[in-house]
Amino acid sequence: MLNQSQENYLQLQGNLTERLGLSDAPVPLEPYHSEDFFQLEKKQIFERAWLLVCREEELPNPGSFIVKRIFPTDVSALITRSSAGKIQAFYNTCSHRGAQLEVQQSGQKGRFTCIYHRWTYQNDGKLIGVPDEANFFNLEKEKCGLTKINTQVWNGWVFLNLAENPEVTLEEYLGDFKSYFEGVEYIGADNPVVFEMDLDVNWKVLADAFIESYHIFAIHPETLTPSLTSKSNPYGRLLDAQAFGPHRGVSVYGNPENSASAKSPVELLANKLLGDGRQASMWGQHKAGKGESSDDAQDSQHLHGVSLLQKYLSHPAINPTNSDCWGQDIYHLFPHVQIDTGPNGFWCHKFWPMERNKTRYEGRFYMTKAQNFSERFMQEMYIARLAPLIAEDIASMRRTQIGIESGGKKFMILQDSEVAIRHHIEVCTRWVKSKTVKEALA
Amino acid sequence: MTVSRSINLPDGFSALEAFVDRWAGNDTMERLAAREESTMSEIRMFYDTMLGYAEQAAVLINQHPLDKIPDDVALLCKLMLALCHAAVAIEVLNNPRVATAPYPTGVRVVRGLTPYG
């Protein structure tokens, strides 16, 4: 007997590509290996789009700063939270002779001093100190502050735009996605475990690998297959796909039978340590247990966590088809960031293109701060299970790039669950060809 | 190889001393490496022994706030965290590493969780 949501899911099969208004033709592979295409992406996409660079929690206090290379460009951005609390990015370049200003990757500073001749700036970019100032020629210090990079913050996400005068506002750029995703609760946003690696693949190979569910049965047989496929959906067909202008989202199937029974002795131990009604999970945070015991009422931290989780899960963008067979959602913010939302919180992938076949991956998996050893143990279980998952994906992505560069194939053949790949490459191609951002967004 | 340490495990856990050098890594990267660079029989030996002490170890560690764990209990805590990584080899992969992936993988943990991340 199929329940209602399973029936809805079956009805969805085979028409996501059509629903998004996309053709079902083979897709050219040239954008994955061509140097010309890469140079166009740099100029037409990364130097014109609003780029998500970090969350505001990475700049927790007035005086917090981070330095971020904005690949594929040469820009080094110094992103600060000023003493007044405002987040602003600057070119990390001294006004005097153009030397690199801040050399640390992150920290806490009220002012920045260039090592070369000790010109000094406030963290709002204002130039406040010039040694031997009298020996310059009519130096107008108020005009010699750090050069700003257009910076906007939306729901805690910090976006930069490298164009001197961006053609569209962040609001216009986000389009329908803004209201759709507005107000999502970001659980544990100040406490991620962060993975990084440099991979010899085109950035879109990475983005593609993290947004299609078709590969799960093949390369994640032990790690993900039990939770994201089932006998009734062995190939992890998608629950849903949506397009929001240049952005997109897919909702991934989850096996409802899998979460109910832990078979691993260490997972059973983690469950036991957490106590009544609380179930450890793959995703490292406790679930709201059914039939909470009254003892839990005394645990205000736990109750707070449960109510935050309920608020998060009740947002319409989380499990958008309201399915009983829901695994997770993947929202791809064009061009290079994916925000994933699962049953216990969110995580985020960034794909920074370094060269046509080299990409810096940054994965941030957010978890609430552990209050005791039992919670910390569960989080380590989650991290320990993530590591081989990433290793499995690395291997496949590398084989993909090698195969593409070997040549012979000019096109790839995509199925319906790979619809997000098709949409992404179509949007990339449109941006590369469009004279203006307005035209690309139209 | 044994290295003399000034800190030993708490009373009642001396049977785990033999695992400290390899498994009581200070951060996630060291624990990952311990799993990836051990043989299955070494992992199995640690996993089986550690699992036998895991509940009583958790009870002891849970008596301390995470930011005030005494040094001997900290060693035990690190061994417990390593149990999570050993479990991946024993319970999930049936192999010390992902067989199809190149090694080293090149993955860096640039920010871990507190404590011992």
Side-chain angles (χ1 to χ4, degrees), chain A residues 32-73:
Chain A
Y32 291 84
H33 64 81
S34 153
E35 181 63 31
D36 290 347
F37 196 90
F38 181 75
Q39 291 303 327
L40 284 169
E41 284 178 329
K42 178 178 164 188
K43 181 165 167 269
Q44 301 285 80
I45 298 176
F46 285 87
E47 292 179 0
R48 300 197 296 181
W50 284 94
L51 303 173
L52 193 162
V53 291
C54 64
R55 276 199 63 80
E56 63 183 358
E57 289 84 359
E58 292 172 56
L59 300 151
N61 309 306
S64 297
F65 74 89
I66 53 178
V67 171
K68 194 97 194 158
R69 170 78 182 270
I70 312 297
F71 288 110
T73 77

Side-chain angles (χ1 to χ4, degrees), chain A residues 348-365:
Chain A
C348 179
H349 306 291
K350 298 195 192 80
F351 318 109
W352 294 103
M354 302 166 83
E355 296 169 24
R356 74 174 172 85
N357 55 6
K358 192 166 189 178
T359 303
R360 176 157 299 166
Y361 167 77
E362 189 187 319
R364 292 178 173 260
F365 300 82

